[in-house]
């Protein structure tokens, strides 16, 4: 099973943002630090999930276990519902992508267990702030 750790970060609320994705595949690791445009931290968390799902689909990783320290995103995926309608299109996109996988799990973990993804997200925010760089796409 592929393990995927995700995190989103934002320098401000909203502010320059980034997504961190850390994937464990058969003893090797893949790291992604994706700069995002100005958005809230919660939006960055959703975009980290969406980008990670796209990466898994592109690489034909069909059995995946996701880990996030975002209770908001974890609960939204579990319940397939968000209270804040701002996040509804992001949740819908994530659920649609996840449904294409053979097996998809998501588990909430404490921030202390998500340091690799957090560091990648912070590096992406730094790149976004310094260069106005963004790999943003929906």
């Amino acid at each position: 099973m592929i393990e995927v750790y995700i995190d989103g970060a934002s320098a401000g609320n909203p502010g320059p943002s980034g997504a961190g994705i850390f994937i464990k595949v058969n003893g090797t690791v893949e790291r992604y630090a994706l700069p995002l445009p100005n958005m809230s931290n919660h939006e960055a968390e959703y975009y980290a999930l969406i980008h990670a799902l796209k990466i898994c689909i592109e690489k034909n990783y069909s059995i995946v276990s996701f880990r996030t320290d975002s209770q908001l995103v974890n609960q939204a995926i579990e319940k397939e519902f968000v209270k804040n309608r701002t996040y509804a299109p992001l949740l819908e996109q994530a659920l649609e992508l996840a449904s294409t996988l053979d097996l998809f799990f998501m588990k909430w973990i404490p921030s202390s267990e998500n340091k690799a993804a957090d560091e990648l997200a912070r590096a992406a925010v730094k790149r976004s702030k310094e260069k106005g760089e963004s790999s943003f796409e929906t």
Side-chain angles (χ1 to χ4, degrees):
M1 181 174 300
I2 310 297
E3 291 182 18
V4 182
Y5 294 78
I6 59 170
D7 200 14
S10 180
N13 201 19
S17 300
I21 303 165
F22 182 85
I23 304 176
K24 292 183 180 179
V25 183
N26 302 324
T28 64
V29 297
E30 300 173 10
R31 294 174 178 85
Y32 302 88
L34 307 168
L36 300 170
N38 286 355
M39 62 179 61
S40 73
N41 185 64
H42 291 313
E43 289 171 301
E45 297 279 3
Y46 276 102
Y47 280 106
L49 170 60
I50 290 166
H51 282 286
L53 285 164
K54 287 180 178 181
I55 289 166
C56 290
I57 291 165
E58 288 170 11
K59 293 184 172 259
N60 294 316
Y61 300 157
S62 61
I63 300 174
V64 296
S65 177
F66 274 60
R67 311 281 200 277
T68 181
D69 59 13
S70 170
Q71 291 182 343
L72 179 90
V73 170
N74 186 62
Q75 289 174 358
I77 290 292
E78 279 183 10
K79 296 177 182 179
E80 298 185 3
F81 174 78
V82 291
K83 289 181 184 176
N84 185 332
R85 302 311 298 164
T86 303
Y87 309 130
L90 300 172
L91 175 61
E92 184 178 324
Q93 185 178 5
L95 291 172
E96 185 177 315
L97 290 166
S99 73
T100 68
L101 301 169
D102 292 340
L103 201 53
F104 168 81
F105 294 103
M106 176 163 291
K107 178 182 177 183
W108 177 83
I109 58 174
S111 297
S112 62
E113 294 178 24
N114 204 28
K115 289 184 180 182
D118 178 67
E119 288 173 9
L120 292 164
R122 290 177 188 273
V125 169
K126 186 176 178 184
R127 282 182 26 214
S128 182
K129 285 169 61 176
E130 288 174 354
K131 300 177 184 173
E133 186 179 329
S134 172
S135 64
F136 184 74
E137 58 183 75
T138 57

